[in-house]
Amino acid sequence: MAKCPLCGKPLDWAELIGQMLVLENAEEIFRERERFMETFEGFVFKCPHCGEEFYGKNLPRKEAEKVFELLREFKGSIDWESRKVRLRLNSLLALDTMLENWDKKVKG
């Protein structure tokens, strides 16, 4: 799971995505994977633990791509009126990773 590149504490993906929802054209950005990833990597996030700022490019790209997929897969995952993420993204990401690893072992 993603950790702050400065203090090393675990980050909540829902909180990170919530920081991006303040962007003026956020709904458009969250429709297209490449646009999302480009914006994500250049976005300046603020760590809720240490308060320091860092770029999204310092977070795991693979996790960010999976988070995008989860947000697209679950309709209503973002409340656009109140600019809030409704999903527990860290839990879903962990489950997705666990299932991927299980598939690898079974097909193995």
Side-chain angles (χ1 to χ4, degrees), residues 37-79:
M37 290 307 299
E38 183 180 308
T39 304
F40 177 83
E41 289 178 346
F43 191 81
V44 177
F45 293 97
K46 185 173 184 176
C47 176
H49 305 290
C50 67
E52 294 295 327
E53 294 181 338
F54 57 89
Y55 286 101
K57 66 183 176 188
N58 294 312
L59 297 174
R61 181 179 174 90
K62 185 176 178 183
E63 283 186 33
E65 289 172 342
K66 285 188 181 204
V67 165
F68 174 80
E69 290 173 18
L70 290 168
L71 290 170
R72 297 289 298 152
E73 190 172 324
F74 292 95
K75 301 295 179 208
S77 58
I78 296 175
D79 178 352

Side-chain angles (χ1 to χ4, degrees), residues 1 63 66 92-102:
M1 291 295 151
E63 283 186 33
K66 285 188 181 204
L92 289 172
L93 192 58
L95 178 61
D96 187 60
T97 302
M98 187 173 65
L99 290 173
E100 266 184 23
N101 290 335
W102 185 77

